[in-house]
Amino acid sequence: MLEIKNLHVTVGGKEILHGINLTLDEGQVHAVMGPNGSGKSTLAYVLAGREGYDVTEGEIVFDGKDLNAMAPEERAHAGVFLAFQYPVEIPGVSGLNFLKSALNEVRKGRGESELDAVEFLKLMRERVSELKMDEALLKRPVNVGFSGGEKKRNEILQMSLLEPRLAVLDETDSGLDIDALRIVAEGVNSLRSPKRAMLVITHYQRLLSYIVPDKVHILAGGKIVAEGGKELALELEEKGYAMFGVTDEAA
Amino acid sequence: MAQATDITQAYADQFARLRATLPGAADPKLAALREGALARFARAGVPTPRLEDWKYTRLGALLDAAFEPAPPVANGIGHDAIDALSPALAGGPRLVFVNGLLRADLCRLDGLPDGMRVESLGAAPADLAEALADRDADALWSLNVALARDGAVVTVAKDTAEGDPLHIVHLARPEAEGEASHTRHLIRIEPGAAATVVESYFGPDGATYWNNGACLARVGRDARLRHFRRQQEGAAGLHRTAVRVELDAGAAYESFGLFMGGALGRDEISVRFAGEGASCTLDGIYLGRGTQHLDCTTRVDHAVPHCTSHETYRGVLDDKAHGVFQGLIRVEEQAQKTDAHMLSKTLLLSDRAAVDTKPELEILADDVQCSHGATTGDLDPAALFFLRSRGLPEALARAMLVEAFITQMVEGIGPDAVRADFAAAASAWSGGESGGAKAGGSA
Ligand SMILES: Nc1ncnc2c1ncn2[C@@H]1O[C@H](COP(=O)(O)OP(=O)(O)OP(=O)(O)O)[C@@H](O)[C@H]1O
Ligand SMILES: [Mg+2]
């Protein structure tokens, strides 16, 4: 479903990713781990189409299409979803209006009918209660004044409403307390399906004991330096990045 | 192009022609007052960018010819048309001026709050001299004093409780090409009273007409005036209104302006604190596109201690629109414990849109809290990317962020009906929450 081939990405005139290869099939969950600054968020942004993240070499093929040629909204319509490491605050835009517009635009993009206000509210309430969120949060402007954990949960709410084909979760576990981590992981797991795939970026094995990955990729210095099964994450937790020859400097 | 002297001479001729018909003409004191004002105008002429205060705003057509007074218009517009311009305010009390002359048949005075009295300046009320005050005026204010034919004199009696907003509607007739209105209002809020006044300006798109309005507001001890202005002149209209506010001890003045019409608009507001413990908030939004030029100029004089002034202006400029924000805060030596803040934020949606901001603090007292800040920029790229990554097309995402930028100001408007009126007008400009018709950008 997703095939990243020899991907080189430049940000602000500096090459950050130096030839990434990664294949993700339908139904699979892959984890990406790596030290700070290794390029994990860069990879996430380039998948979502953020401006300023330039592919200088290689390609990203998603469901047979050249993802890099698509605008961010087209990718969203095609089923790409990024849960942001640092969710953005949008003063003046009410959470509910935003969710409704996003959902209906994505539905239109998928060739489905738009939901009316009643249908939308019903679906939204269902998802909000699954994630044990306070509905009052959504009456406020998007993410404004939310705690770190509330912002992360809000990202997962958007994911569960938009039902993407490919979800990229960028450190969704950071900033969550233990209960929230479990709730979010359950939310993610409930979306796991043979038709979907997920790329889970994290620093911690803890999340991966809830969301068990099919494969783990270790990213360091803009390259994938190791790959393996879920045990790789455990090993990493024990020994640190030094086992891949990654020094503090390279990180 | 006409010489400046030709234009001042043309206004002098106009004055000579009209003077016998102006309200209060029979009173020698008033006649002298008008003459003095005309002389002051003649000395200074129509302001040009050579004046520091007009550096960023060139009065275009006003420098090329003298504008004529309109003849009285007896028909051509009905209640329904006026209701449709401001549906949210349609049920409330209102005064309607067409080309600067009161149209009694279009006014609605039955809902006037108890304690609010409204007179027409054209009927030469007893306090005409007060209404025509011409102290520290600039040339256009003086011209207004000389030529004013009508306006509203609103008096709110001592301890009157807040009632429905009074809506003062200004319309220009479709044939208004080359015509000017010098409407003049006086609003007096007596001690302990509270009132809300909304001024709206509308006009035809095809005519180059000029609104040279002036409004003097006096707010008594512990009284409050909430003053709203919606400037939606026709596309070729020229708009310059000046508001002067005098606040007694403990008084509160709240102003909110929505400036979005005309080829050229300049809204001036000047507040003077005359008693301690008074406060004012001056808020405004200017929305420009095409080749519009919109200027917001404010001045706050802290002449006494313990007064508070807060100003927040936001602009959104697209295409080749040009915005100006000038804000002067003056704190005199004795005005200790002044709290004065001013903030201006402008969104430029196109490379060719521009804004000039000139915040100025002149502080002679030493124990004060004063600040100013100004930012100018495009929409937040992180927010734009976030919305697009959730499936919103770029034009819709932009429209949503523009609307949000404006909404953050509008939602602060107190009276429900006024908030609804201004929100609808601003939303129509930005294309609406889901429309996104025009707030797209330059890209
Ligand atoms: N605009 C930019 N100009 C230059 N370098 C940049 C720019 N943006 C990011 N970088 C650099 O790219 C590198 C990778 O950053 P990235 O955010 O992808 O790391 P990460 O793996 O997600 O780190 P973390 O674990 O801290 O989230 C960092 O060294 C960062 O400083
Ligand atoms: Mg990161």
Side-chain angles (χ1 to χ4, degrees), chain B residues 297-314:
Chain B
T297 293
T298 71
R299 175 182 175 125
V300 179
D301 281 289
H302 285 268
V304 294
H306 293 286
C307 291
T308 303
S309 64
H310 287 181
E311 287 178 58
T312 312
Y313 276 77
R314 284 194 176 187

Side-chain angles (χ1 to χ4, degrees), chain B residues 88 152 157 173 179 189-190 219 222 232 238 275 289 295 324 340 403 425:
Chain B
R173 63 179 191 142
E179 293 175 353
I189 316 292
E190 293 181 349
V219 187
D222 299 322
Q232 208 171 330
L238 308 169
R289 61 166 57 105
D295 175 336
V324 178
E403 178 134 342

Side-chain angles (χ1 to χ4, degrees), chain B residues 196-437:
Chain B
T196 297
V197 174
V198 185
E199 292 185 63
S200 298
Y201 295 84
F202 303 101
D205 277 337
T208 303
Y209 62 93
W210 180 31
N211 239 320
N212 181 36
C215 175
L216 179 62
R218 296 225 160 93
V219 187
R221 179 176 278 268
D222 299 322
R224 179 176 80 165
L225 172 62
R226 293 191 290 185
H227 189 191
F228 298 91
R229 296 184 307 294
R230 172 177 166 196
Q231 191 276 86
Q232 208 171 330
E233 303 283 10
L238 308 169
H239 177 98
R240 190 275 195 173
T241 47
V243 180
R244 290 169 162 245
V245 185
E246 291 171 13
L247 300 176
D248 265 352
Y253 175 76
E254 296 170 26
S255 147
F256 191 110
L258 172 60
F259 310 108
M260 54 194 285
L264 188 154
R266 164 138 157 163
D267 183 84
E268 277 180 47
I269 184 157
S270 160
V271 177
R272 184 169 176 83
F273 289 107
E276 296 189 18
S279 68
C280 75
T281 56
L282 308 182
D283 291 338
I285 312 172
Y286 50 98
L287 307 174
R289 61 166 57 105
T291 54
Q292 274 182 296
H293 178 103
L294 297 171
D295 175 336
C296 297
T297 293
T298 71
R299 175 182 175 125
V300 179
D301 281 289
H302 285 268
V304 294
H306 293 286
C307 291
T308 303
S309 64
H310 287 181
E311 287 178 58
T312 312
Y313 276 77
R314 284 194 176 187
V316 182
L317 302 169
D318 203 348
D319 305 326
K320 286 197 218 161
H322 188 192
V324 178
F325 173 73
Q326 307 189 99
L328 171 63
I329 298 174
R330 231 187 96 81
V331 181
E332 289 177 20
E333 203 172 333
Q334 68 278 12
Q336 301 295 1
K337 304 288 180 194
T338 286
D339 180 82
H341 301 280
M342 170 164 59
L343 194 62
S344 138
K345 280 192 184 183
T346 315
L347 266 184
L348 299 178
L349 299 180
S350 134
D351 294 344
R352 291 168 307 163
V355 64
D356 288 297
T357 49
K358 192 173 82 176
E360 277 180 290
L361 301 180
E362 279 179 27
I363 300 171
L364 304 175
D366 48 27
D367 183 13
V368 301
Q369 294 231 2
C370 296
S371 73
H372 71 76
T375 63
T376 300
D378 196 355
L379 293 170
D380 175 11
L384 199 55
F385 170 62
F386 174 76
L387 293 177
R388 295 179 69 189
S389 81
R390 296 300 181 251
L392 274 60
E394 184 176 4
L396 177 59
R398 282 184 159 269
M400 206 180 238
L401 292 176
V402 169
E403 178 134 342
F405 182 78
I406 300 167
T407 299
Q408 285 172 275
M409 294 288 294
V410 174
E411 67 193 6
I413 293 176
D416 293 340
V418 185
R419 189 172 58 252
D421 182 62
F422 279 39
S427 175
W429 186 89
S430 62
E433 196 132 79
S434 52

Side-chain angles (χ1 to χ4, degrees), chain B residues 18-32 34 124 128:
Chain B
L18 288 176
R19 57 182 304 165
T21 67
L22 294 171
D27 180 337
K29 266 206 331 235
L30 284 168
R34 299 236 198 210
L128 192 55

Side-chain angles (χ1 to χ4, degrees), chain B residues 33-196:
Chain B
L33 199 155
R34 299 236 198 210
E35 269 167 40
L38 184 81
R40 268 187 296 282
F41 166 75
R43 270 197 302 278
V46 176
T48 71
R50 275 196 297 262
L51 295 172
E52 181 60 25
D53 214 24
W54 289 86
K55 192 163 131 191
Y56 302 114
T57 296
R58 195 179 176 283
L59 285 169
L62 298 182
L63 299 168
D64 296 338
F67 281 51
E68 292 294 315
V73 185
N75 49 25
I77 185 151
H79 276 284
D80 292 352
I82 295 168
D83 288 350
L85 292 167
S86 296
L89 294 168
R94 76 168 166 227
L95 302 174
V96 176
F97 292 87
V98 177
N99 281 81
L101 296 171
L102 189 72
R103 274 282 297 270
D105 58 316
L106 296 173
C107 296
R108 191 182 284 136
L109 294 175
D110 40 347
L112 218 55
D114 289 337
M116 184 185 277
R117 197 174 78 239
V118 173
E119 294 159 284
S120 146
L121 187 117
D127 20 34
L128 192 55
E130 182 185 352
L132 291 176
D134 190 33
R135 274 181 297 113
D136 332 308
D138 76 346
L140 297 181
W141 180 280
S142 292
L143 186 64
N144 172 292
V145 169
L147 296 174
R149 294 191 293 173
D150 212 344
V153 177
V154 179
T155 310
V156 181
K158 195 165 177 295
D159 297 327
T160 295
E162 175 86 46
D164 283 340
L166 171 66
H167 190 194
I168 305 180
V169 182
H170 307 80
L171 297 171
R173 63 179 191 142
E175 306 77 12
E177 181 68 32
E179 293 175 353
S181 312
H182 305 274
T183 322
R184 179 157 205 103
H185 304 310
L186 170 66
I187 303 172
R188 284 175 306 198
I189 316 292
E190 293 181 349
T196 297

Side-chain angles (χ1 to χ4, degrees), chain A residues 50 72-73 76-77 81-82 84 90-91 93 97-98 101-102 105 155 158, chain B residues 382-383 385-394 396 400-401 404 408 433:
Chain A
R50 183 166 196 160
E73 55 269 34
H77 301 164
F81 180 90
L82 167 63
F84 286 61
I90 312 197
V93 173
N97 273 332
F98 158 66
S101 305
E105 289 300 326
E155 295 290 289
Q158 290 156 40
Chain B
F385 170 62
F386 174 76
L387 293 177
R388 295 179 69 189
S389 81
R390 296 300 181 251
L392 274 60
E394 184 176 4
L396 177 59
M400 206 180 238
L401 292 176
Q408 285 172 275
E433 196 132 79

